[in-house]
Amino acid sequence: MSILLKNGRVVTADSDAVCDILIEGETIVSIGRNLSAEGAEVIDCTGKLVMPGGIDPHVHLEMPFMGTFSSDTYETGTRAALHGGTTTVIDFILQKQGNSLRSAFEEWSGRATGNAVGDYSFHMAVTDFNPSTKEEIKDMIAEGITSFKTFMAYKGALMIDDAQMVGLMQEVKKHGGLVTAHATNGDMIDTLIAQHRAQGKLTPLYHYLSQPEVTEAEASGRFADIANYTGVNAYIVHLTCEGALNQVRRATERNQRVLVETCIQYLVLDASLYEDEANGAKWVMSPPLREKKDQATLWAGINQGLVNVVGTDHCPFMWEQKLMGKDDFSKIPNGHPAIEHRMELLFSEGVSTGKITPQKFVEVTSTNPAKIFGMFPRKGTISIGADADLVIFDPQKKHAISASTHHMNCDYSAYEGWELTGKIETVLLRGQVAVDAGETKVSKGYGKFVKRGKTNI
Ligand code: URP
Ligand code: ZN
Ligand code: ZN
Ligand code: ZN
């Protein structure tokens, strides 16, 4: 089975030219002008952008969290991702404190295997670093799980202390892996939450006011400092604000590189949404949305090469689940639905407005995640021998976001009514048309586990 994409504007992180792409089976076999192939299915891409399939390295599918589960399954979540041009996601396995990494890996594999529609991989969240889990680090790397997530907040469930952080970083460094962090000061946040609750300040706005910028800046700096001492490859997930990015900037002054991910919501939404008492829970996530000045910092950070990745932190909950916190912001499950709209939102708000180039768009949505998380060049680019994971994109087409048309298993949209310029038209995953004109063309079980290698950026 071969497919020939004709006359698209093919954009990668380092090239931008009109050409053809020939796919055989799962793989790109030829790129050039005036290609022909007998018997190939031809897709006319005139006037369209052809870009590498998106990689979202921060999603939470069916995650047990705050007394419930995030509402997208592997099936619904990866299908929605495909509709939004994201062909590969990386989910977080959460070790249960007291249990092994292996048992958590088996639990997550059980949920994903045979159910995923799009490709997926895992990070391992180490929530209890001890002599026994220390021995498992190299085994996880051998399984293709080369990134280890830490939580510096959510004490009692997920948080590790600095002693564990040092030990984990030393062990991961020894075996060539990457340590990532939810970098916020958990003790400080818990104190502010308790103070607000004691004063009867219980609306969603107090979620925001319990996680001021300093809680993130402090933890980001501490994470960078410990990483610098141990020499491990370090990556901060969902960085939101100027104070935190300045800590990364500071690290560069001692020639340290700290890799940074922001998420689409922090670029396009701001904390004024928490003033809506009735709906504020839709945007209760951690860290919270920030200020306009932080959006400006993040857009600049992307162009400065300080912000390497734009993910989503997709962690959807039904409105009914959000209502668990209707009388107390601290009981609102944290997270929002975004897996489906990362690419179109970033294109519309970033490329169509001239804030970033199409090449930068590809870099932060696909190429950098592939390089950082050890999937490049099989994924993350358009080159001979790479997986044919491709997005055919109409840069002019206007459309609107709505919960009534999205594919995520969530009964509201955090972007309801947003008008976008630029639309995903066709998505290929490993040489198969996976989505075309809004229709899903592959079924559950098509998505495969991607065994990852080491960071190479
Ligand atoms: O609010 C969020 N971010 N929920 C998911 C868990 C996390 O901290 O990433
Ligand atoms: Zn070891
Ligand atoms: Zn987090
Ligand atoms: Zn997350």
Side-chain angles (χ1 to χ4, degrees), residues 222-245:
R222 179 159 39 103
F223 175 72
D225 287 346
I226 304 173
N228 191 47
Y229 170 74
T230 61
V232 77
N233 280 322
Y235 176 101
I236 298 175
V237 308
H238 57 37
L239 184 143
T240 71
C241 59
E242 186 180 21
L245 195 63

Side-chain angles (χ1 to χ4, degrees), residues 196-327:
H196 286 133
R197 293 178 74 211
Q199 293 161 18
K201 295 173 171 168
L202 298 168
T203 61
L205 180 64
Y206 290 94
H207 170 77
Y208 167 64
L209 294 173
S210 298
Q211 299 199 34
E213 181 170 7
V214 62
T215 60
E216 189 179 335
E218 185 281 328
S220 301
R222 179 159 39 103
F223 175 72
D225 287 346
I226 304 173
N228 191 47
Y229 170 74
T230 61
V232 77
N233 280 322
Y235 176 101
I236 298 175
V237 308
H238 57 37
L239 184 143
T240 71
C241 59
E242 186 180 21
L245 195 63
N246 282 343
Q247 292 297 321
V248 173
R249 227 182 281 280
R250 182 184 60 96
T252 66
E253 290 170 2
R254 61 190 174 209
N255 303 315
Q256 183 191 7
R257 185 186 59 177
V258 177
L259 298 162
V260 172
E261 164 200 288
T262 191
C263 294
I264 186 65
Q265 59 272 28
Y266 302 118
L267 291 162
V268 303
L269 302 176
D270 70 74
S272 61
L273 290 165
Y274 298 124
E275 284 159 24
D276 178 346
E277 213 175 300
N279 289 293
K282 290 180 182 167
W283 302 281
V284 163
M285 62 184 80
S286 293
L289 300 172
R290 301 283 185 202
E291 307 291 318
K292 295 268 187 228
K293 60 108 179 144
D294 298 299
Q295 293 180 356
T297 297
L298 296 174
W299 285 110
I302 289 174
N303 281 319
Q304 291 163 344
L306 273 177
V307 174
N308 310 94
V309 171
V310 178
T312 59
D313 195 10
H314 176 72
C315 191
F317 295 97
M318 293 290 190
W319 188 239
E320 182 76 20
Q321 294 174 289
K322 286 284 188 182
L323 288 177
M324 289 162 62
K326 66 180 176 351
D327 301 320

Side-chain angles (χ1 to χ4, degrees), residues 58 60 63 65 149 151 154 182 238 285-286 313 315 334-335:
H58 193 151
H60 302 279
M63 179 175 73
F65 189 51
K149 166 79 174 287
F151 288 94
Y154 304 122
H182 171 126
H238 57 37
M285 62 184 80
S286 293
D313 195 10
C315 191
N334 288 196

Side-chain angles (χ1 to χ4, degrees), residues 261-426:
E261 164 200 288
T262 191
C263 294
I264 186 65
Q265 59 272 28
Y266 302 118
L267 291 162
V268 303
L269 302 176
D270 70 74
S272 61
L273 290 165
Y274 298 124
E275 284 159 24
D276 178 346
E277 213 175 300
N279 289 293
K282 290 180 182 167
W283 302 281
V284 163
M285 62 184 80
S286 293
L289 300 172
R290 301 283 185 202
E291 307 291 318
K292 295 268 187 228
K293 60 108 179 144
D294 298 299
Q295 293 180 356
T297 297
L298 296 174
W299 285 110
I302 289 174
N303 281 319
Q304 291 163 344
L306 273 177
V307 174
N308 310 94
V309 171
V310 178
T312 59
D313 195 10
H314 176 72
C315 191
F317 295 97
M318 293 290 190
W319 188 239
E320 182 76 20
Q321 294 174 289
K322 286 284 188 182
L323 288 177
M324 289 162 62
K326 66 180 176 351
D327 301 320
D328 177 354
F329 71 86
S330 72
K331 306 234 159 48
I332 303 170
N334 288 196
H336 94 314
I339 203 167
E340 187 165 351
H341 295 118
R342 174 183 69 130
M343 306 278 279
E344 288 175 339
L345 276 166
L346 187 68
F347 192 93
S348 188
E349 297 290 312
V351 181
S352 299
T353 60
K355 287 193 185 78
I356 61 171
T357 64
Q359 286 185 223
K360 190 51 114 173
F361 172 85
V362 170
E363 186 184 313
V364 297
T365 57
S366 180
T367 310
N368 281 347
K371 289 179 173 175
I372 292 168
F373 295 108
M375 295 185 273
F376 189 86
R378 180 179 155 203
K379 300 212 181 270
T381 194
I382 299 176
S383 62
I384 291 170
D387 282 1
D389 298 350
L390 298 163
V391 171
I392 303 171
F393 192 85
D394 183 339
Q396 311 297 343
K397 187 150 183 178
K398 298 203 188 288
H399 63 114
I401 296 180
S402 172
S404 64
T405 48
H406 75 203
H407 298 80
M408 298 176 284
N409 188 40
C410 189
D411 52 4
Y412 71 89
S413 171
Y415 305 89
E416 187 67 38
W418 276 52
E419 307 266 355
L420 304 185
T421 302
K423 193 172 190 322
I424 308 286
E425 194 149 279
T426 304

Side-chain angles (χ1 to χ4, degrees), residues 69-221:
F69 280 80
S70 57
S71 59
D72 259 321
T73 62
Y74 268 84
E75 182 183 353
T76 62
T78 58
R79 186 192 296 128
L82 285 174
H83 278 268
T86 292
T87 45
T88 304
V89 301
I90 316 182
D91 189 21
F92 292 85
I93 299 174
L94 303 186
Q95 177 204 6
K96 259 202 206 86
Q97 292 179 338
N99 290 3
S100 66
L101 304 183
R102 171 70 56 185
S103 61
F105 176 39
E106 283 166 2
E107 186 184 334
W108 257 258
S109 295
R111 285 201 269 271
T113 310
N115 290 319
V117 187
D119 283 358
Y120 64 94
S121 187
F122 299 122
H123 308 281
M124 175 59 71
V126 179
T127 62
D128 184 2
F129 184 73
N130 57 45
S132 151
T133 47
K134 177 176 179 212
E135 292 309 313
E136 295 190 271
I137 298 295
K138 64 176 176 315
D139 303 341
M140 289 300 121
I141 290 180
E143 296 283 3
I145 299 172
T146 51
S147 46
F148 297 86
K149 166 79 174 287
T150 61
F151 288 94
M152 299 170 80
Y154 304 122
K155 198 171 189 169
L158 302 173
M159 178 170 150
I160 61 168
D161 61 20
D162 291 347
Q164 295 182 72
M165 182 69 88
V166 176
L168 174 67
M169 284 185 171
Q170 287 170 332
E171 185 63 17
V172 172
K173 159 80 179 166
K174 202 156 85 189
H175 298 286
L178 174 72
V179 174
T180 79
H182 171 126
T184 64
N185 184 320
D187 283 322
M188 189 170 170
I189 292 167
D190 288 346
T191 302
L192 297 179
I193 291 174
Q195 287 174 358
H196 286 133
R197 293 178 74 211
Q199 293 161 18
K201 295 173 171 168
L202 298 168
T203 61
L205 180 64
Y206 290 94
H207 170 77
Y208 167 64
L209 294 173
S210 298
Q211 299 199 34
E213 181 170 7
V214 62
T215 60
E216 189 179 335
E218 185 281 328
S220 301

Side-chain angles (χ1 to χ4, degrees), residues 40-58:
E41 177 192 338
V42 175
I43 303 179
D44 178 17
C45 300
T46 308
K48 308 286 160 56
L49 301 182
V50 181
M51 301 184 283
I55 299 173
D56 188 341
H58 193 151

